[in-house]
Amino acid sequence: MASEKTLQIEGMTCNHCVMSVTKELQKLPGAANVTVDLASASAHLSTDASNEQLAEAVDEAGYKLVSVS
């Protein structure tokens, strides 16, 4: 069952960053309602993915996952 996750992400500086992170998070299992906010350096989504998978997706986009809540 998908759960709501809020991610704090380090290194995003522009809208291209937002698009890159959004694209990678949308590939995750059960990903839905993906929103990435540059101002708060965060992302919110519903997903079945583990925290490790979330970190790998953010890393693949070129950024660092700081925390998941």
Side-chain angles (χ1 to χ4, degrees):
M1 183 173 150
S3 60
E4 297 293 317
K5 306 269 186 172
T6 299
L7 318 178
Q8 287 303 126
I9 301 168
E10 186 177 275
M12 296 190 303
T13 59
C14 65
N15 285 332
H16 180 266
C17 301
V18 170
M19 289 187 297
S20 296
V21 172
T22 300
K23 181 179 175 183
E24 290 303 322
L25 292 176
Q26 287 173 332
K27 295 178 184 177
L28 292 170
N33 304 319
V34 177
T35 57
V36 179
D37 182 61
L38 180 60
S40 65
S42 66
H44 185 80
L45 71 155
S46 177
T47 184
D48 296 325
S50 67
N51 288 357
E52 182 177 292
Q53 289 172 305
L54 293 166
E56 288 172 3
V58 172
D59 183 65
E60 183 66 28
Y63 308 97
K64 180 181 177 187
L65 179 62
V66 177
S67 67
V68 177
S69 56

